[in-house]
Amino acid sequence: MELQTMHAQLAERLRGRALVSATISQPRLKSNDVKRIKLKPVNIRNEYRIQFEYQHEHVLKHENLSIDEAAAKLESIFGDFRQALFQFTEEKIQVQLSKKFKVSWKSEGTSAKTVELSHNRKKQYLLEDGIPYPFLVRLGVQSADGKVKKQKYDKFRQINRFIEFIDDALEHLPKGRTVRILDFGSGKSYLTFALYHYLRIEKGLDLRVTGLDLKKEVIEECQKIADDLQYDQLEFLVGDINEYNEESAVDMVVTLHACDTATDMALSRAVKWNASVILSVPCCQHELNSQIAAPGLGLMLQHGLIKERFSALATDSVRAEILSLVGYETQLMEFIDLENTPKNILIRAYKTGKKPAAGQLERYKAFTQLLSADPFLENELQHLL
């Protein structure tokens, strides 16, 4: 089959609104920043669209296109990849492209699949509304019969989003021994309890979890709840991230809304403990804001609001890149909808031990030099860079 024929066949099926899902993978060139593309149909403001999810090395990007735009986009990008798998309502198609762009097209019928437009269907949560979970009842998120309280529904969604990240990380945690988890800046500990419940109660993992925070009254209340729920392997301690030196090895480090360089200190500790999983939602990134001196960006940085937002994005980009340089597969993810909180970026890092790509350190240095930045995390991990 020729490329042109393949594009025509796919476009025809797209126009028939038969797409269920698709994955385009195996970039032809190592330099291709996009590693994988996923497609699915969505309904946005009552209009049918096809969503393209571009999976880069460290970030995910989305684009919602009309059918004609999607067909044109497929034609423009397909030659950059070696294979694709399309699931249509009654057909599965596997496509492979040779080095000389010869098309191998394999089609097989399948049992009828239902097209679900994700923006229309009810969100399926790992913790379900209507089922009482003792920790959610005790924390005031649910009533005794399991109904999520109206004023707590955003918190319920946030907890479920966090558990999705925990679920994704399961394969990266050690097997056959106790899993050690630290949560720095645990606060009221909604997510600490959720993490414990999901991994211990629902997944049956042998683990020991510590929540650390500076507020003595909050810690005492959290410990009382843990004791009442008989969460025997969950403890809460009063302590400062900067002074906590009780561990030599940790499997997962969680840090949610630790302010400014407290996030960097937690990330540094996680790396030094050789943590397999790091989940961090930063807060109020001030460090680079006070350092940035980049005349070439003066048009942006002359505005205080823009400088603050740029500094926050630059800070998290630097953090992600440093983690990548010291052997982590790192992505910046949306934690919760921006409409609910501006602190919606989560840094997710899995320990792989992979060495940085050629020129990656130089690219990082060029970026920090452009900004005249001297990042705290870089100085903490200088011996590893």
Side-chain angles (χ1 to χ4, degrees):
M1 180 182 291
E2 299 296 326
L3 269 175
Q4 186 175 359
T5 304
M6 180 196 72
H7 292 313
Q9 295 259 9
L10 292 175
E12 179 182 357
R13 288 164 173 78
L14 292 181
R15 292 189 177 98
R17 300 194 176 191
L19 179 69
V20 177
S21 63
T23 300
I24 302 171
S25 58
Q26 292 192 12
R28 190 171 294 274
L29 300 175
K30 290 184 179 180
S31 58
N32 191 342
D33 187 44
V34 179
K35 307 304 179 185
R36 185 180 294 105
I37 303 173
K38 292 187 175 182
L39 282 69
K40 69 176 182 179
V42 295
N43 194 320
I44 299 177
R45 290 188 284 275
N46 294 321
E47 292 188 5
Y48 181 92
R49 291 284 185 268
I50 295 176
Q51 183 178 92
F52 283 64
E53 179 184 271
Y54 304 96
Q55 299 185 7
H56 297 256
E57 185 74 25
H58 305 304
V59 297
L60 297 176
K61 296 181 180 179
H62 295 87
E63 187 176 29
N64 300 315
L65 304 176
S66 68
I67 292 175
D68 288 340
E69 290 170 337
K73 176 66 73 171
L74 277 179
E75 187 169 353
S76 69
I77 65 176
F78 209 100
D80 295 333
F81 295 84
R82 292 193 180 94
Q83 74 172 26
L85 180 64
F86 290 85
Q87 178 66 64
F88 295 101
T89 51
E90 297 182 352
E91 180 185 24
K92 183 166 68 175
I93 297 173
Q94 186 167 355
V95 178
Q96 291 185 318
L97 292 182
S98 70
K99 290 183 179 180
K100 296 183 178 180
F101 297 94
K102 292 296 182 181
V103 179
S104 171
W105 172 289
K106 181 181 178 181
S107 172
E108 60 181 78
T110 64
S111 56
K113 305 289 184 181
T114 302
V115 178
E116 295 191 14
L117 304 180
S118 62
H119 283 249
N120 271 2
R121 71 174 183 265
K122 182 180 178 181
K123 174 69 175 178
Q124 297 299 307
Y125 292 120
L126 291 172
L127 300 182
E128 298 181 34
D129 188 356
I131 297 178
Y133 299 96
F135 80 96
L136 288 180
V137 174
R138 185 64 186 269
L139 292 171
V141 176
Q142 288 182 317
S143 58
D145 62 357
K147 184 67 176 176
V148 176
K149 297 177 181 179
K150 184 177 180 180
Q151 68 272 25
K152 291 291 187 178
Y153 209 85
D154 284 346
K155 177 60 68 176
F156 178 72
R157 292 175 63 244
Q158 183 193 53
I159 289 169
N160 267 287
R161 178 61 171 154
F162 179 67
I163 289 178
E164 289 177 9
F165 288 116
I166 297 298
D167 187 66
D168 289 342
L170 277 173
E171 64 182 281
H172 298 275
L173 295 175
K175 309 294 189 295
R177 64 170 177 81
T178 302
V179 178
R180 184 71 177 107
I181 300 175
L182 285 179
D183 182 354
F184 283 119
S186 55
K188 294 183 178 180
S189 301
Y190 291 96
L191 303 184
T192 321
F193 280 106
L195 178 154
Y196 184 90
H197 168 87
Y198 189 71
L199 292 180
R200 178 63 180 163
I201 308 301
E202 300 210 7
K203 294 299 181 180
L205 268 64
D206 178 18
L207 47 73
R208 187 163 68 91
V209 180
T210 299
L212 189 75
D213 200 271
L214 289 169
K215 298 175 183 175
K216 183 174 183 291
E217 297 81 4
V218 173
I219 287 296
E220 290 175 347
E221 176 62 22
C222 290
Q223 187 62 59
K224 185 177 187 307
I225 294 173
D227 292 341
D228 292 346
L229 295 175
Q230 298 183 347
Y231 285 2
D232 299 333
Q233 291 161 288
L234 172 61
E235 65 176 354
F236 293 92
L237 302 174
V238 177
D240 188 336
I241 292 174
N242 295 287
E243 298 173 357
Y244 187 79
N245 294 298
E246 306 302 318
E247 308 292 334
S248 58
V250 175
D251 299 304
M252 177 189 289
V253 171
V254 176
T255 168
L256 303 173
H257 301 152
C259 190
D260 202 21
T261 55
T263 291
D264 299 290
M265 179 58 75
L267 295 178
S268 171
R269 293 289 178 87
V271 172
K272 292 173 182 177
W273 287 326
N274 205 32
S276 300
V277 177
I278 301 172
L279 298 175
S280 175
V281 179
C283 175
C284 52
Q285 303 95 323
H286 299 311
E287 184 196 19
L288 291 196
N289 192 306
S290 63
Q291 294 181 3
I292 290 178
L297 300 177
L299 186 69
M300 291 175 55
L301 303 183
Q302 65 179 321
H303 306 287
L305 175 63
I306 300 299
K307 183 181 180 184
E308 180 181 351
R309 292 182 180 178
F310 175 83
S311 299
L313 293 173
T315 299
D316 289 337
S317 298
V318 163
R319 287 166 171 161
E321 193 68 11
I322 291 174
L323 290 175
S324 177
L325 286 167
V326 297
Y328 282 82
E329 176 188 324
T330 312
Q331 287 184 311
L332 298 179
M333 317 283 289
E334 184 179 67
F335 177 43
I336 198 69
D337 292 343
L338 191 58
E339 64 190 46
N340 294 314
T341 172
K343 303 165 187 175
N344 73 324
I345 290 179
L346 179 139
I347 302 172
R348 181 176 73 182
Y350 299 141
K351 180 72 174 181
T352 64
K354 181 180 177 182
K355 294 186 180 301
Q360 187 176 351
L361 179 59
E362 289 73 17
R363 183 182 71 163
Y364 166 78
K365 290 291 188 181
F367 182 71
T368 55
Q369 288 169 10
L370 169 68
L371 303 181
S372 300
D374 182 25
F376 181 95
L377 185 58
E378 178 187 337
N379 291 322
E380 283 290 306
L381 300 177
Q382 186 65 55
H383 62 291
L384 298 176
L385 295 173

